[in-house]
Amino acid sequence: MKKFLPVLLMILVFCGWASAQAPQSMNYQAVVRNATGQPVTSGTVSVRFTIHDGSATGTTVFQEVQAANPNQFGLINLQAGSTGGNLATVNSGNGPKFLQVEID
């Protein structure tokens, strides 16, 4: 019994540590370019993230719009789900999901 209790405690701690949670946001990084292929290095761009269920044209299960300021190389770093949207509502275990990203 003395050896069983520490082993049981270790198992419980490991199970609590190993439990998975749905991510609250998803990192996204891109280089924004204009119509001639040059990096956009100033101003603000709007980025819309849309997640579709089942196919690229399937039902929209998530949508969010964010504003981003590109750096001197045109690089933007965003977190989808960090403003207004909630990625936890997307049932990722229920078939394939397709991410659509639009930049204006």
Side-chain angles (χ1 to χ4, degrees):
M1 183 70 173
K2 288 183 180 181
K3 291 183 180 183
F4 178 72
L5 189 58
V7 171
L8 179 62
L9 183 61
M10 283 179 29
I11 291 172
L12 290 175
V13 169
F14 178 75
C15 289
W17 173 76
S19 65
Q21 295 181 0
Q24 299 304 311
S25 63
M26 176 176 52
N27 293 328
Y28 181 80
Q29 183 178 61
V31 174
V32 182
R33 298 182 182 273
N34 63 18
T36 62
Q38 298 302 312
V40 175
T41 59
S42 62
T44 302
V45 295
S46 294
V47 181
R48 179 167 57 189
F49 297 102
T50 305
I51 297 178
H52 297 279
D53 190 25
S55 70
T57 58
T59 305
T60 298
V61 294
F62 173 84
Q63 191 169 65
E64 176 182 65
V65 177
Q66 292 189 25
N69 296 313
N71 68 9
Q72 69 268 23
F73 307 110
L75 182 68
I76 58 171
N77 292 296
L78 298 170
Q79 290 185 326
S82 65
T83 61
N86 186 356
L87 283 178
T89 62
V90 178
N91 185 357
S92 59
N94 186 20
K97 304 295 182 263
F98 292 79
L99 176 63
Q100 177 181 357
V101 180
E102 299 168 278
I103 299 176
D104 182 19

